[in-house]
Amino acid sequence: MLFNSVDYIIFFLITVTLYFITKPAFRWILLLVASYFFYMYWRYEYILLIVLSTGIDYYCGTQMSKKDSKQERRPYLLFSLISNLGLLFTFKYLDFFATSTNAVFGTTIPMAELILPMGISFYTFQTLSYSIDVYNGKIQFEKHFGKFALYVSFFPQLVAGPIERASHLLPQLTKNDNKLNYNNVVSGFTQVMIGFFKKVVIADTLALYVEGVYGTYDLHTGFTLWFTIYLFAIQIYCDFSGYSDIAIGCARIMGYDLMENFRQPYFAKSVTEFWRRWHISLSTWLRDYLYIPLGGNKLGKFNTYKNLMVTMILGGLWHGASWNFVIWGTLNGLYLSLEKRFRIPEFIEGKSKLVKFLGMVVVFHLICLTWVFFRAETFEKAIGIIDRMFAIEYFINLNIKDTGVFASILLNTTIFILLEVFLFRKLDLRNVLKKTALWKVNILNICLFLLILLYGISEGSQFIYFQF
């Protein structure tokens, strides 16, 4: 079920209404049923994977709670890791492994051709963080199986995050005594409207142009390709942060607080800062459960750079079973390592506004280059695009096939940039009514509604990160 669909709006309104008229003691049942229905609306049989993952981690957490030492708890942690990562590997990477092996060694391993379960990367990381935290003694295991199942499958953030930690979300789901709160409803609704605006007005409109150019990149000039890459940078940000806004806003209307997932990443003055602002729930997960356990920055410079590279390469592979994602992660790891080596973030921080602005421009272009590998379907296409981007003979002219679409793109993108610079980054959406007059919030929501009505794409296209 897509957020940007009439079906979801009806589903959510029914769920919220039932939520607030249901006694707190039974709300977990309502939300669990709603979450499973939400997921089964896509493919009902794949709910078994979520149930299996939930059962494994509940069992492992329960058993680890009975053991006093890490040594005694370790077998259950390993069982959780192997089981969850095994499921992830089977459904997401098995064919990639077979294809790569066949290409390198000339073998003929057959393809499984399994359908990738929606959101498997997200809920797998969420359940793993629970098992790891129980193992390390950072949290207590959850005794109530139903409420733990709700933590794994909570529908607003089930298929594309934010990747929540048990220490943050489980206590809220266990308590479940939220009252209908005016500030939560207004601020949540406002964040939902911003999310819909980003998705259906900006991301889906840009997708029309981006898909056309990427599909025929060899017919376009370098200028057109650079322009398209800029547009894709905005598209993927609006698509993914738009999903996060809708998820966070829907949860807040019901009284639940989900973690912030984006913080205007293209205002970052270094790649290090970019990754503190982009997909925050994933970047902090990789830091806490991969980079730091590998040794972080405590084992010398070489090991620090190695740990950064391993973390970002695996982070790239998390996004998809493709060498393009590996290269995307490698480039980001290289950027971070070079910044660490030359202390770029510290250097930029103490400089003038002009230097900081130039830092933003440089970082934006560095990130845009990595987006080529992220967006292109194959390595050959990515290299072909980059080759034409930097070839002088291909640089002149901007190809415009449909002036109507192009004019809409320019208008919508300009509106978005102005809103992002002068409004969105200044709004405290968690407490919007405490710092902004209600009439101003109402005007904002009316304007967003009109923009969605006038310029939104109504087909209900899938969010980009659903494929991960």
Side-chain angles (χ1 to χ4, degrees), residues 226-344:
W226 273 105
F227 181 70
T228 304
I229 289 164
Y230 295 152
L231 293 184
F232 178 70
I234 298 174
Q235 179 199 346
I236 191 169
Y237 168 64
C238 288
D239 192 282
F240 194 17
S241 70
Y243 177 93
S244 294
D245 284 332
I246 297 170
I248 293 168
C250 287
R252 187 179 300 128
I253 289 172
M254 294 186 290
Y256 298 105
D257 176 55
L258 300 183
M259 71 178 294
E260 183 182 24
N261 212 20
F262 289 87
R263 197 177 298 129
Q264 286 76 45
Y266 293 134
F267 290 100
K269 301 173 288 294
S270 67
V271 177
T272 302
E273 184 184 355
F274 174 85
W275 277 102
R276 291 172 182 159
R277 293 167 171 259
W278 178 274
H279 202 346
I280 299 169
S281 64
L282 174 64
S283 60
T284 54
W285 196 102
L286 292 171
R287 179 197 66 197
D288 295 342
Y289 299 106
L290 187 57
Y291 176 69
I292 292 177
L294 285 172
N297 58 1
K298 295 182 179 180
L299 300 174
K301 292 182 179 179
F302 174 79
N303 283 305
T304 297
Y305 306 146
K306 179 199 70 176
N307 295 338
L308 280 172
M309 292 299 298
V310 170
T311 299
M312 294 310 298
I313 289 171
L314 291 177
L317 196 57
W318 176 89
H319 283 81
S322 164
W323 286 110
N324 273 21
F325 290 116
V326 174
I327 295 169
W328 175 76
T330 301
L331 288 173
N332 277 284
L334 183 62
Y335 291 161
L336 293 172
S337 298
L338 289 172
E339 285 193 350
K340 179 78 73 173
R341 168 65 180 83
F342 295 104
R343 303 176 65 85
I344 298 298

Side-chain angles (χ1 to χ4, degrees), residues 21-254:
I21 64 176
T22 301
K23 292 183 178 180
F26 302 106
R27 285 177 176 173
W28 70 268
I29 301 175
L30 168 68
L31 290 179
L32 183 60
V33 171
S35 297
Y36 280 4
F37 174 81
F38 172 81
Y39 193 81
M40 291 168 68
Y41 199 83
W42 167 65
R43 287 184 74 93
Y44 68 89
E45 63 268 30
Y46 276 17
I47 195 65
L48 296 175
L49 291 178
I50 296 180
V51 174
L52 178 60
S53 183
T54 300
I56 288 171
D57 286 283
Y58 177 79
Y59 168 77
C60 291
T62 302
Q63 295 304 311
M64 284 190 285
S65 70
K66 301 175 182 178
K67 310 300 179 182
D68 296 326
S69 67
K70 283 189 174 181
Q71 184 175 357
E72 293 176 304
R73 294 195 292 267
R74 190 168 294 124
Y76 299 102
L77 175 65
L78 290 174
F79 179 54
S80 172
L81 292 172
I82 293 171
S83 299
N84 284 287
L85 294 178
L87 288 172
L88 184 61
F89 176 84
T90 299
F91 283 91
K92 190 168 184 176
Y93 302 105
L94 188 59
D95 282 354
F96 172 64
F97 173 79
T99 302
S100 301
T101 302
N102 290 342
V104 174
F105 299 105
T107 54
T108 56
I109 301 174
M111 302 295 108
E113 298 182 350
L114 298 172
I115 296 174
L116 179 65
M118 190 177 291
I120 188 171
S121 296
F122 288 90
Y123 67 73
T124 296
F125 269 30
Q126 188 151 307
T127 58
L128 284 179
S129 68
Y130 167 82
S131 294
I132 296 170
D133 285 349
V134 171
Y135 168 78
N136 287 320
K138 292 183 177 180
I139 61 171
Q140 295 293 318
F141 82 104
E142 175 54 51
K143 297 179 182 179
H144 196 294
F145 178 79
K147 292 178 180 178
F148 176 72
L150 178 57
Y151 158 73
V152 176
S153 62
F154 188 46
F155 74 86
Q157 46 85 229
L158 172 58
V159 295
I163 304 170
E164 281 290 342
R165 308 292 178 86
S167 58
H168 180 239
L169 184 57
L170 255 176
Q172 298 182 64
L173 297 174
T174 301
K175 196 175 181 183
N176 258 337
D177 61 350
N178 303 328
K179 292 180 172 59
L180 187 61
N181 181 280
Y182 187 64
N183 180 75
N184 286 344
V185 172
V186 173
S187 64
F189 178 76
T190 302
Q191 190 150 5
V192 169
M193 290 298 293
I194 290 173
F196 272 114
F197 166 74
K198 287 179 179 178
K199 170 59 178 173
V200 303
V201 177
I202 308 301
D204 286 352
T205 303
L206 296 183
L208 298 174
Y209 185 86
V210 171
E211 288 174 9
V213 173
Y214 265 82
T216 57
Y217 74 93
D218 53 332
L219 302 178
H220 295 283
T221 64
F223 189 86
T224 302
L225 292 171
W226 273 105
F227 181 70
T228 304
I229 289 164
Y230 295 152
L231 293 184
F232 178 70
I234 298 174
Q235 179 199 346
I236 191 169
Y237 168 64
C238 288
D239 192 282
F240 194 17
S241 70
Y243 177 93
S244 294
D245 284 332
I246 297 170
I248 293 168
C250 287
R252 187 179 300 128
I253 289 172
M254 294 186 290

